[in-house]
Amino acid sequence: MALSSGVKRLLSAAAAAAVACCIPFPAASADERAEPGFYEDFSGSSLDTDKWLAAEKNWGGTVNEDGVTKDYNGGVTAENVSVSDGKLVLKGLGNRYEGNQRGINRDGSRRSDGKRCGGAVATKEYFGSGSYEIRARIAPELGCCSAMWTFEYEEDYSGDKLNIINHEIDIEFPGRDKNDDLSLSHALCTTWVTEEDYRTKSVDCGEQTDGKFHTYRFDWHTGSEDEVPRVEYYFDDKLTYTAYDFIPTNESRFWLGLWFPKYWAGTPDFEETVFEVDYVRITPFHESGDTPQHESYPDSGWKETAELPKSWLLWHSYSSYSALDSRLYLRTPDGTVKTISGDFIHAMNGSFGISPEQIIFMAIDSEADEWDIYLSDGENTENLTERSGFRNEDPKWSPDGKSVVFKRGHWDNDADGFVYDLALLDIETRTVTMLTDDSAEEAMPCFSEDGSFIYYASYSGGIGSICRLDTASHRTETIFSESGVTAYYPVVRGDELFFTKWYSADNRCDQLVRYDDGRITRLPFDSELYDCSDACPADGDRMIFSSTMNGDYDLYLFDGEKVTALTEINSGNNDLGADIYTWEEYQAYLESSSPEGDVNMDGRFNIADAVLFQKWLLSVSGEERINTEAADICRDNKLDGFDLCMMRSRLIGAGSY
């Protein structure tokens, strides 16, 4: 009988401590001495949203086109911010860009194209006087601006007129040479305190577009008894210019950006370019001249961060389906992202089994040149349908994890093409059983939660309908069809069924719908203007899905009220086909399969379990979640010091120290 976490703790804290003294628990390691200030080397797989904000805003002036006033540039968007190979990559799209990405207007609306659209980030934290240094490689093109700057903006309405405070320090490329021509060997060094009170100096900093990384730094002194207010500008550690006028004092966020100024940086006659940053170091001076920030709009103009549930997430990404370059990615609960790789290409449509290590997917066998079903167990990847002579696609697990339903195709001379039916693969024996055998194409199967039905798409005359097969009787029935409208990709979560369908016979934009006893309901984020597909229900009202609302396919999270792009994992390619394995599912799986004594549910019984159980008995805050059934070593339906003693005895006997 399993005990709940609310079971009365029969052992007193003193008794638990006494028992614990008998067990040689390892001493806690000393905390590492934190480096003062702020340091970021972008060593993660994505932008650290605990430190950084990705900007979604527009500045830089307007132009008049055909009598209509428009923003000159496409602003800065999170799609142009990424982390790759230990570098922050800020992308700029020039006048020649013809891709699907779109910029942003000053009012937050999306533009019709992505021309003159850049990327920028800022620290969440505000900093005052200090040394601000980056190692970077600026964009080697004129027409855009590679910049680092501090910024704090306030609007004061207390007087007769609006007073604006604009505390800012800049290093911006390009600058001006001695002939006042644009130059990427020169930088603009500027200090501001209002939008009218500023001082700019163009300084010669030597060749900067040589393909190498260079260091850029300014030391900001707000002033004290020993320091004159000033800003010192360093290029490759050489003091090049010192500013004494209009020195800011307000604490500010630190920005990095690649953006498109109106004319003063030149004409962006290119398709794409990048500004790369290797590291950021901020060392505070904490001078007495520092003054606090009171920004008027500190929370506006940032890309909202999607709060993914704690989970494992699968998805695939490709430049185009025909390019055969799809990669399958796995994101773990700690945010680590890895690629599932092996002797195959064009991997996609991953699906979790009964554990997050049990992953099934489809890919092309590199040698046999055929679609096959692959199984990854976290360490090894195996081709389950190797050299079958068939096309094997769209795999999904059975609820018990013992079999996989999939789509199998073979060439039919009479039909002069491939014929596809549903098949079932027994994981242990590798036996394949055909479930259907007809002229219609059956695809994208998935089991109901209890395994009694298999839902799938059936195509006739190029139009798809949603059908289901009774796994006991093998009878099939159509549960949804609409004249001239394709429906496909059914997905089950609990008792709910979702699938994708065209908006109408005249509008082929994909919509996601919920099916309930013959009735369908469009989901709140659907639109007749773009595709929404690949339903991936998470928990509660939350759903992950793919959409072209910003050009190519990206992944989004709907939380029941709003839609937020998963910017930390979206790439410049098409990102789609998500599947999720939640932390709650994992806990339930561990509780049902954990060995005796595995209190922390990591699949092993060792000293860590005894340490956790001791803390639980002592009512240490934050230690409420344990596997109570595994902790009841004495099997007396009570958790107490006797169970802890038994753990100690078994660990000593097993030498698990």
Side-chain angles (χ1 to χ4, degrees), residues 182-195:
L182 294 172
S183 169
L184 289 170
S185 296
H186 292 70
L188 299 180
C189 300
T190 311
T191 54
W192 307 69
V193 291
T194 74
E195 292 184 321

Side-chain angles (χ1 to χ4, degrees), residues 305-446:
T305 302
E307 293 296 330
L308 275 173
K310 189 174 182 180
S311 60
W312 288 258
L313 187 68
L314 280 170
W315 76 97
H316 60 267
S317 178
Y318 54 70
S319 59
S320 68
Y321 186 87
S322 59
L324 303 181
D325 61 357
S326 181
R327 291 176 177 267
L328 185 64
Y329 295 99
L330 171 65
R331 181 186 185 274
T332 58
D334 65 0
T336 301
V337 175
K338 67 177 183 178
T339 305
I340 296 178
S341 57
D343 258 346
F344 52 79
I345 61 171
H346 210 36
M348 61 178 62
N349 292 351
S351 173
F352 289 110
I354 60 174
S355 76
E357 290 81 22
Q358 195 179 39
I359 296 171
I360 204 85
F361 61 95
M362 59 185 278
I364 298 175
D365 186 311
S366 303
E367 294 185 3
D369 192 27
E370 69 177 20
W371 281 105
D372 279 316
I373 307 301
Y374 288 81
L375 171 64
S376 171
D377 63 4
E379 296 181 359
N380 303 302
T381 301
E382 182 182 1
N383 187 340
L384 301 181
T385 56
E386 187 174 11
R387 299 188 182 276
S388 66
F390 296 95
R391 291 176 62 105
N392 305 287
E393 307 172 46
D394 302 344
K396 286 290 189 296
W397 287 101
S398 63
D400 60 9
K402 295 180 179 180
S403 58
V404 171
V405 65
F406 65 101
K407 159 186 167 182
R408 168 162 279 193
H410 68 276
W411 182 264
D412 187 292
N413 288 325
D414 294 335
D416 193 27
F418 277 91
V419 174
Y420 294 93
D421 293 295
L422 301 184
L424 192 68
L425 171 67
D426 185 290
I427 293 296
E428 183 176 354
T429 66
R430 302 294 192 267
T431 302
V432 174
T433 303
M434 300 306 300
L435 300 176
T436 60
D437 181 14
D438 52 43
S439 59
E441 176 185 347
E442 285 103 14
M444 306 173 192
C446 71

